[in-house]
Amino acid sequence: MSQSTSEIRTQVASLIEQAIALGPRKELRSTLVRALEIAKGDAPKELTQLHYDRLGRGARLADPVRPGLIMKSSKTGLKRWTYRTEVDGKQRELTLGHYPEMSVSDARDKWATLRVQRVSGAAPDLRGDTTLGQIVDHYGKWASENLRSWRENDQLLRKHLLPGREVITLAELDIDHLSAPITAIQAKTPQQARKLRSAISGVLTRARKDGLLPKGFSITPVMLPEVKAATPRTWVPGTKDLRAFLRATREMGDIGAALRLIALTGTRLREVVEMRWDEVEFDAEIEGLGTVARWAIPAERMKAKRPHVVILSDAAMAVLDAQRGSGSPCVFPSPTYPGEPRLANHVGKVWADKRDALGLNKQFTVHTLRKALSTWVAESGGTRDIRDRLTAHTLATGVDAHYNQAELTSPAAEWWQRWADRLAAIEGENVILIGEGRA
């Protein structure tokens, strides 16, 4: 007598249960469990797109037919496909893509590919689970060994890029995640936005060079938003502005000292803030000047990438004398890392905060101190060559540049001292100068 279909199914189910009881693991066990469900007639139904569309925020939905394929919905409603598998004896969850950008059928095809890879023993590509924070850390480590500006870049990335995005995986990352922080600060601080764009570009470039990006990662630096150059400022601080500045610096510790030295020498913010004691020769013999204090700024710190020599005025020397005794090789050492200089951006921000507190014009940046010197020299009869020599705007190149700097050092030293005298008069309590009304 032939057996009925139900009897056959019962026998098959019994045999499968016995096989499962023997303790198979991994893929074999999953296959037997699936076969048992079919034999008993209670195999799970295929999920439809409607099931995934209806998945609520903060919920997850595992595919009953495809082990390890899961959809997760974040608290904000962002849905992503993941694949849970075992790698080197540990459970790992790989992000496959976002829904609906990756459709149900695409996710299932990707799952099938990964299952075949696992059965064949091929290791899955785990790079998609690398987070944005991890590639920023990787870039930071490389930059600290190769870039002078690494601290500034690191601060920009951690202040503007990482908050709210640090744990986003590369599989989840899109261009909007990287563009938004640049756009957010572009209008108010275009210079910072340009630096942030450059830093983010560096993160992507370093990650690609070092093989950290997953296969198919399509975001490139050229996709980041361009930041327009700031409109050149023509505003120059007048007598009242300079008086307020000079008096304010007396209350600002070594940051104030750095700002005063910038004003006295017409140098740039970074050139002063990163000044080292071994750059200063206190008893230099210079033809036509005798014994003077000379500050030689190395080419790598100059905008034009040419060395620049400043003959220090008496007031500039007074600033340096007050900075002695720290034991650091830096004239303006970092309070956190005494062997390294302060961050130029931090000094600039401290002045901006002080300026705003004093109610001064917001265009009064550290850089405008150079304009104040150049403008005064021009108004006082100084030639273009002298102004370029004082502010390191030398137009000549090669041998001519060295010749011009050497030839103009003696008259430049006189102008630096005259400018220092001018600032001292401005700062004085009872001195009223012609041009007092200029804002």
Side-chain angles (χ1 to χ4, degrees):
M1 184 177 178
S2 61
Q3 293 178 302
S4 65
T5 302
S6 63
E7 289 176 329
I8 293 175
R9 293 172 71 95
T10 300
Q11 289 181 10
V12 170
S14 177
L15 291 172
I16 295 173
E17 287 175 339
Q18 293 177 42
I20 292 174
L22 295 175
R25 301 178 61 190
K26 300 182 180 180
E27 300 294 333
L28 178 57
R29 181 178 181 83
S30 299
T31 302
L32 289 172
V33 169
R34 171 69 174 150
L36 180 60
E37 291 170 342
I38 294 173
K40 289 184 175 182
D42 55 1
K45 296 181 179 180
E46 185 82 270
L47 293 176
T48 66
Q49 182 171 323
L50 186 61
H51 289 98
Y52 293 114
D53 289 339
R54 290 179 174 176
L55 184 64
R57 296 186 177 189
R60 54 184 288 163
L61 183 61
D63 191 320
V65 178
R66 298 168 182 81
L69 181 60
I70 303 168
M71 174 182 279
K72 289 185 173 183
S73 179
S74 69
K75 292 181 180 180
T76 61
L78 182 67
K79 297 178 181 179
R80 62 187 176 101
W81 297 102
T82 66
Y83 174 57
R84 184 177 289 276
T85 186
E86 189 174 281
V87 179
D88 297 329
K90 296 180 180 180
Q91 285 291 319
R92 293 293 302 270
E93 193 170 273
L94 313 180
T95 298
L96 306 183
H98 290 91
Y99 178 81
E101 287 80 4
M102 176 178 275
S103 66
V104 175
S105 60
D106 288 342
R108 288 171 177 171
D109 289 345
K110 182 68 174 177
W111 171 86
T113 300
L114 291 172
R115 292 282 287 192
V116 170
Q117 289 178 355
R118 180 177 177 181
V119 171
S120 65
D125 186 353
L126 304 178
R127 293 173 297 180
D129 267 10
T130 302
T131 66
L132 179 59
Q134 288 173 323
I135 64 170
V136 168
D137 288 343
H138 179 81
Y139 170 75
K141 182 178 180 181
W142 172 84
S144 68
E145 299 170 353
N146 294 276
L147 300 179
R148 289 179 58 86
S149 61
W150 74 273
R151 286 193 186 280
E152 181 180 354
N153 289 347
D154 192 64
Q155 285 191 342
L156 286 170
L157 292 168
R158 297 190 186 283
K159 179 179 180 180
H160 298 290
L161 176 65
L162 290 187
R165 305 178 184 89
E166 186 171 5
V167 297
I168 295 175
T169 65
L170 298 186
E172 301 172 300
L173 192 67
D174 59 41
I175 188 60
D176 289 340
H177 290 129
L178 304 179
S179 299
I182 299 173
T183 305
I185 65 172
Q186 180 173 352
K188 187 176 180 180
T189 54
Q191 184 176 1
Q192 293 296 295
R194 286 196 298 275
K195 290 180 179 179
L196 177 60
R197 185 188 189 279
S198 176
I200 294 174
S201 176
V203 170
L204 293 175
T205 301
R206 179 49 45 188
R208 187 173 297 281
K209 285 183 177 180
D210 292 348
L212 301 184
L213 303 182
K215 186 177 180 181
F217 187 83
S218 59
I219 301 174
T220 62
V222 297
M223 298 168 66
L224 297 171
E226 292 292 338
V227 180
K228 294 181 180 179
T231 303
R233 296 185 177 98
T234 57
W235 183 87
V236 178
T239 300
K240 291 181 180 179
D241 303 304
L242 290 172
R243 178 177 291 133
F245 164 81
L246 292 166
R247 292 176 179 177
T249 59
R250 297 289 187 186
E251 307 168 355
M252 298 173 66
D254 63 341
I255 289 181
L259 293 170
R260 290 182 74 87
L261 193 59
I262 291 170
L264 289 163
T265 59
T267 45
R268 296 179 179 86
L269 176 60
R270 183 184 164 215
E271 293 161 9
V272 166
V273 171
E274 297 184 11
M275 183 181 188
R276 298 175 61 88
W277 288 112
D278 58 13
E279 297 169 0
V280 182
E281 187 178 355
F282 293 98
D283 298 309
E285 291 292 336
I286 296 181
E287 185 177 353
L289 293 176
T291 303
V292 295
R294 178 176 61 185
W295 172 27
I297 309 174
E300 60 266 23
R301 206 159 75 244
M302 296 299 299
K303 184 176 181 180
K305 300 305 178 186
R306 291 193 293 269
H308 178 54
V309 174
V310 177
I311 304 303
L312 298 170
S313 62
D314 295 340
M317 278 303 302
V319 171
L320 294 185
D321 287 340
Q323 290 299 115
R324 295 177 187 270
S326 70
S328 171
C330 303
V331 177
F332 304 102
S334 163
T336 307
Y337 304 95
E340 298 181 18
R342 281 185 174 274
L343 293 175
N345 269 8
H346 175 67
V347 174
K349 184 178 185 306
V350 170
W351 164 243
D353 291 342
K354 187 68 172 179
R355 172 202 65 202
D356 293 345
L358 293 172
L360 297 175
N361 193 313
K362 286 187 176 295
Q363 294 185 78
F364 193 168
T365 63
V366 175
H367 190 72
T368 58
L369 294 168
R370 288 165 51 80
K371 293 183 179 179
L373 166 60
S374 185
T375 299
W376 178 78
V377 172
E379 292 173 349
S380 302
T383 63
R384 176 65 182 273
D385 285 346
I386 285 293
R387 299 198 302 273
D388 288 341
R389 174 65 182 86
L390 293 170
T391 57
H393 276 166
T394 305
L395 301 179
T397 59
V399 175
D400 287 342
H402 293 290
Y403 174 78
N404 286 354
Q405 183 171 111
E407 283 295 299
L408 294 171
T409 293
S410 183
E414 180 182 348
W415 281 102
W416 270 311
Q417 185 58 54
R418 288 178 62 184
W419 174 241
D421 294 341
R422 163 81 176 186
L423 293 180
I426 289 175
E427 188 179 7
E429 291 287 343
N430 301 311
V431 176
I432 298 176
L433 300 167
I434 297 174
E436 181 82 17
R438 180 153 60 103

